[in-house]
Amino acid sequence: MGIEPISTLLHENRKFPPAPAAASGFSRWHIASMDEYRQLHKKSLQDPEGFWASEAGCLSWFRRWDKVLDWNPPDAKWFLGAQLNACFNCVDRHVQSGHGDQIALIWEGEPVGPQTSHPSPGSAYAKEPEIRRLTYRDLQIETSKVANVLRRLGVKKGDVVTIYMPMVPELAIAILACARIGAAHSVIFGGFAPHAITERVTDANSRIIITADGGYRRGEAVALQKNVEEAIGQLANTGHIVNHILVLKRTGHEPPSQRFHSGHAPAAIGASPTKFHWWHEIEALVSDACPCEPMDSEDMLFLLYTSGSTGKPKGILHTTGGYLTYVNTTCRLAFNMIPDSGQIFWCSADIGWVTGHSYVLYGPLMNRVPTLMYEGAPNFPSFPGGKGDRFWDIIARHRVTQFYTAPTAIRTFMKWGEELPARHDLSSLRLLGTVGEPINPEAWIWYHEHIGRKQCPIVDTYWQTETAGHICTPLPGAIPTKPGSCTLPMLGIDAAVVNEQGEELPANKGGLFVIRKPWPGMLRGVYGNRERFISNYWSRVKDPASSTPYYFSADGARRDEDGYFWIQGRIDDVIKVSGHLLGTMEVESALVSHPMVAEAAVVGMPHDIKGNAICAFVTIKSKWFADNPGQQPGEELRKQLAAHVAKEVGALARPDQVRFAEGLPKTRSGKIMRRLLRDVAAGVEKITQDTTTLEDFSVVAKLRADEE
Ligand code: WT7
């Protein structure tokens, strides 16, 4: 794993200074000048414990800590001896402080208008979209009920509850209900295939899954429950038993399965011991009062699986006190959140990703700023050419003040044209954010001009599932922005670009992005896999003086002459496709699970909208051709293989290109030469790699010929 030569060293000189708060529509900036930022940042690194103790003071604790930090590299414990509850901090404390009737969550369903094939249950024929507004008091009642449902189904403090749901308020409620009783949630993105559920449920030893019959996406009802049933079928072979499936009725598109039983006396169906329950039926049986369980600061709050460089996803483990403190602070500072000031925050990410965990749910709720959740696609209803303006319509109707989305979405909106946002009143917007991958300057400028009216600061937030919240981001009132740069580190973050020896590099030299001091939001482990925790994050670079390991994010980066960070992307075997991480191994395993495939190598290739797309090089078993006379490695087989990957992993893993090769280029030690394949995929004319270690030169020649 070497540092990639940076072919496109960006030299972007445009700089956008922050405007006074009033000019951006805010009553004040939390941090209002570069001097203030620099001073605070310096202080936060000199006295991290003092800084984080004061930040933790913004939360509500049942018991104060005895000690702020215990740092035993790479293990950190924050707020030792303290107790708190995540749901209490998001919901109950606001009710107790007299804000119970304020709106906590605004939800808009997808179905609307004549294109809706399945009208939403709440909105007769859905001329208008279905909208639900939940207050903190509503959330208190709803989370208490679901907490009681979970208890009734035998869930105890410390258990892992798997959640596989569409973007509906009940997803937020389910997550918070887990937190309420001290069960850890493990949310699986609804776009993943059954195999992903099987894998994650087994790894987390989870005995209960919360799902829905379906969810809406681009006018279609996506069958979630069916995927769960398929996963249960696969689990039968592993010996892992899921006791209960709790099913929310959302789409009602399928006749009720005969698997269901009333909450009173759930009975098993057939050979499977798994019991299915309708959410609404069992919820009717429980009380709407349930106190929040006091949790130790270091008790697990959730697991969230993310792709790694081996085929198996990693269960990133976050704990309660540190996660909440870090998310609360970053959310307040980067988005300049101020309660009671008319803000409505919309993060368009799915809650199935960490962005949704931290900035759809926990961050805004803790900060007491209403959070908007939208169920569906940006192009529903869709215009000719598959274009859509739903996002701009939502911003205008709900008067959204801060909007947070991904570069891949922005590039899509660019392609659809600025006429679409221009048709809507976006004057409520005060701040824009981006996350997920480096943003190309043209997309940044387009966002600034056509969505932000050249008035909204843009916060390009760099972070990871592992970091819980923003690591580098402009603070909107303080830090001048440069299109394409995530600018400077968050308070309390000691970020650096170093070489393999851990030495900090001079300006504009590409190197490894590391964090040199612990922070409250850092991951506490990879669930059940200590070795992966150490080897993935803590083994590559050390402090050259003390040998203390640094946290390595697996991204390459450089700092410019102003100290600004420019993230250059992953240097491990994961690819960012439309901002979503995918392990090349995951896709390769899916490919070789197809009977025709002998061997596969997957690489990323540049793509205008997705950032990267997947290119798969595949060799076919000679026996397969013998058994299937007349078959040629052509378009038909390519399509079949791409569809197979989508079925095994999920639609976002579908390769854009499948290329057949007689053999894959390997080094003498048998390692696939991925860099060479990346060049071939990118259409780099001259293959720049040193090929002297190739075992089979003819292979390279073939691939190159294929290219011509
Ligand atoms: C990887 C983490 C962070 C929440 C969503 C993704 C890339 C993320 C940026 C950004 C450049 C970025 C990095 C990182 N990344 N944000 N603003 N600029 N790169 O979380 O799935 O854990 O992915 O996303 O490569 O390592 P994730």
Side-chain angles (χ1 to χ4, degrees):
M1 175 161 95
I3 303 175
E4 292 283 295
I6 311 305
S7 49
T8 50
L9 252 190
L10 266 172
H11 276 284
E12 173 57 56
N13 296 319
R14 282 169 289 194
K15 210 168 176 175
F16 295 79
S24 306
F26 288 96
S27 55
R28 64 193 161 91
W29 294 121
H30 285 297
I31 297 176
S33 73
M34 192 67 166
D35 278 352
E36 194 182 342
Y37 161 75
R38 290 223 187 268
Q39 265 174 28
L40 283 169
H41 188 253
K42 195 164 153 213
K43 229 172 98 193
S44 71
L45 296 193
Q46 279 166 352
D47 176 21
E49 298 187 31
F51 174 76
W52 288 116
S54 125
E55 286 301 314
C58 303
L59 303 185
S60 186
W61 300 77
F62 299 145
R63 187 184 184 283
R64 286 280 294 190
W65 47 91
D66 305 316
K67 195 176 171 209
V68 176
L69 170 66
D70 190 5
W71 178 222
N72 238 321
D75 297 302
K77 291 197 171 99
W78 286 89
F79 313 115
L80 287 91
Q83 288 195 320
L84 78 169
N85 180 284
C87 188
F88 186 86
N89 272 282
C90 290
V91 177
D92 294 58
R93 74 164 155 152
H94 302 318
V95 178
Q96 285 184 8
S97 65
H99 301 101
D101 296 329
Q102 284 188 355
I103 301 297
L105 190 151
I106 303 165
W107 172 82
E108 178 162 321
E110 188 192 75
V112 61
Q115 292 182 38
T116 300
S117 51
H118 305 277
S120 183
S123 58
Y125 295 100
K127 266 214 184 87
E128 297 294 322
E130 184 187 0
I131 292 169
R132 286 168 62 189
R133 292 189 174 81
L134 284 88
T135 64
Y136 294 100
R137 196 185 314 283
D138 294 335
L139 281 182
Q140 187 180 39
I141 293 169
E142 295 305 320
T143 56
S144 296
K145 283 201 268 188
V146 176
N148 285 328
V149 167
L150 293 175
R151 285 227 166 110
R152 195 182 179 104
L153 296 178
V155 176
K156 290 188 199 58
K157 185 170 170 172
D159 289 353
V160 178
V161 175
T162 301
I163 303 180
Y164 180 70
M165 289 181 78
M167 280 286 281
V168 291
E170 287 80 1
L171 165 55
I173 291 164
I175 290 175
L176 293 168
C178 291
R180 205 166 177 93
I181 59 171
H185 49 83
S186 167
V187 182
I188 304 176
F189 171 57
F192 278 129
H195 178 66
I197 307 174
T198 315
E199 220 168 31
R200 286 157 175 78
V201 162
T202 324
D203 188 79
N205 194 25
S206 173
R207 305 283 168 186
I208 172 163
I209 303 176
I210 310 182
T211 187
D213 53 351
Y216 291 106
R217 188 85 195 164
R218 223 159 279 139
E220 296 298 320
V222 180
L224 295 171
Q225 184 198 327
K226 222 173 107 234
N227 285 347
V228 171
E229 291 189 23
E230 224 172 278
I232 298 296
Q234 293 173 9
L235 279 171
N237 313 324
T238 69
H240 180 88
I241 293 172
V242 171
N243 299 321
H244 301 286
I245 317 270
L246 182 62
V247 187
L248 177 81
K249 191 181 254 177
R250 165 68 187 136
T251 53
H253 64 287
E254 281 180 285
S257 160
Q258 22 144 333
R259 292 170 174 275
F260 286 93
H261 293 271
S262 91
H264 283 299
I269 274 286
S272 163
T274 306
K275 301 171 190 101
F276 283 68
H277 317 265
W278 280 120
W279 175 303
H280 58 275
E281 284 180 3
I282 191 163
E283 199 188 51
L285 308 172
V286 300
S287 126
D288 62 4
C290 174
C292 292
E293 186 75 29
M295 301 299 288
D296 286 343
S297 178
E298 281 298 332
D299 278 341
M300 170 160 64
L301 178 60
F302 66 84
L303 291 177
L304 187 55
Y305 283 82
T306 182
S307 294
S309 41
T310 71
K312 223 175 135 233
K314 300 173 276 192
I316 303 302
L317 193 156
H318 284 291
T319 58
T320 313
Y323 173 83
L324 294 177
T325 300
Y326 195 66
V327 170
N328 182 62
T329 298
T330 53
C331 194
R332 184 182 79 247
L333 297 180
F335 303 127
N336 204 51
M337 281 199 174
I338 303 173
D340 306 315
S341 67
Q343 296 183 346
I344 292 179
F345 181 79
W346 182 22
C347 164
S348 74
D350 193 287
I351 289 182
W353 309 108
V354 73
T355 311
H357 280 56
S358 297
Y359 301 114
V360 174
L361 216 55
Y362 286 113
L365 289 177
M366 279 189 288
N367 277 284
R368 199 161 50 77
V369 162
T371 183
L372 191 142
M373 222 176 133
Y374 167 56
E375 179 182 34
N379 55 349
F380 191 84
S382 86
F383 301 159
K387 300 176 180 185
D389 66 349
R390 183 67 178 270
F391 275 25
W392 320 128
D393 183 44
I394 289 176
I395 290 173
R397 277 188 289 106
H398 293 278
R399 307 298 294 159
V400 170
T401 48
Q402 293 115 310
F403 175 58
Y404 190 33
T405 195
T408 182
I410 298 167
R411 289 190 295 265
T412 305
F413 300 141
M414 274 174 86
K415 191 179 82 181
W416 290 346
E418 52 259 28
E419 314 80 74
L420 297 186
R423 292 167 31 155
H424 298 274
D425 173 11
L426 303 183
S427 63
S428 58
L429 288 172
R430 302 173 193 169
L431 177 143
L432 301 173
T434 147
V435 60
E437 57 181 317
I439 183 165
N440 44 314
E442 305 115 84
W444 195 103
I445 295 287
W446 188 90
Y447 199 30
H448 174 68
E449 289 180 356
H450 298 288
I451 309 303
R453 316 180 310 280
K454 300 190 184 168
Q455 281 171 33
C456 299
I458 295 183
V459 293
D460 174 355
T461 61
Y462 165 69
W463 58 295
Q464 309 179 292
T465 306
E466 292 85 346
T467 69
H470 312 138
I471 288 300
C472 285
T473 174
L475 298 182
I479 301 179
T481 50
K482 299 185 194 184
S485 167
C486 59
T487 73
L488 296 168
M490 179 52 66
L491 300 185
I493 296 297
D494 186 16
V497 174
V498 300
N499 61 17
E500 300 280 351
Q501 287 69 49
E503 296 151 350
E504 202 160 358
L505 291 170
N508 293 316
K509 278 262 179 300
L512 309 168
F513 183 95
V514 297
I515 305 175
R516 297 178 293 196
K517 281 194 173 63
W519 69 102
M522 62 193 265
L523 79 165
R524 300 298 194 270
V526 171
Y527 193 68
N529 202 331
R530 178 79 182 164
E531 195 278 318
R532 262 184 114 180
F533 174 60
I534 308 276
S535 65
N536 264 281
Y537 306 104
W538 303 99
S539 298
R540 180 94 178 230
V541 221
K542 295 192 197 70
D543 180 332
S546 68
S547 290
T548 306
Y550 288 161
Y551 173 82
F552 172 47
S553 74
D555 285 300
R558 72 178 167 95
R559 296 186 85 163
D560 67 15
E561 45 293 340
D562 294 332
Y564 277 39
F565 285 85
W566 297 78
I567 304 297
Q568 292 162 337
R570 306 285 301 203
I571 60 176
D572 54 0
D573 287 330
V574 305
I575 315 175
K576 276 250 140 175
V577 181
S578 300
H580 300 314
L581 275 189
L582 273 177
T584 50
M585 277 274 287
E586 281 173 274
V587 183
E588 287 163 7
S589 326
L591 283 164
V592 297
S593 75
H594 191 284
M596 83 170 92
V597 177
E599 200 174 26
V602 161
V603 296
M605 59 181 188
H607 186 281
D608 283 352
I609 303 288
K610 302 181 182 181
N612 295 288
I614 290 177
C615 176
F617 293 89
V618 171
T619 63
I620 303 216
K621 291 176 186 156
S622 42
K623 188 172 172 315
W624 190 84
F625 283 122
D627 294 347
N628 294 274
Q631 290 274 17
Q632 288 297 321
E635 207 40 44
E636 194 40 47
L637 293 190
R638 287 198 173 94
K639 277 204 188 121
Q640 250 185 54
L641 287 178
H644 178 73
V645 173
K647 186 174 145 278
E648 289 298 306
V649 187
L652 60 94
R654 185 192 297 272
D656 272 41
Q657 268 193 32
V658 175
R659 302 166 61 143
F660 298 106
E662 204 148 285
L664 298 174
K666 291 184 187 159
T667 60
R668 283 197 200 287
S669 63
K671 280 191 85 175
I672 293 176
M673 300 179 81
R674 291 175 183 285
R675 299 179 73 187
L676 184 141
L677 291 177
R678 273 203 288 273
D679 276 357
V680 175
V684 174
E685 250 170 316
K686 230 176 92 218
I687 292 178
T688 52
Q689 253 66 47
D690 172 8
T691 54
T692 52
T693 51
L694 263 191
E695 205 166 55
D696 182 359
F697 289 94
S698 66
V699 166
V700 188
K702 281 218 173 65
L703 286 169
R704 292 174 72 178
D706 178 14
E707 193 51 35
E708 274 141 24

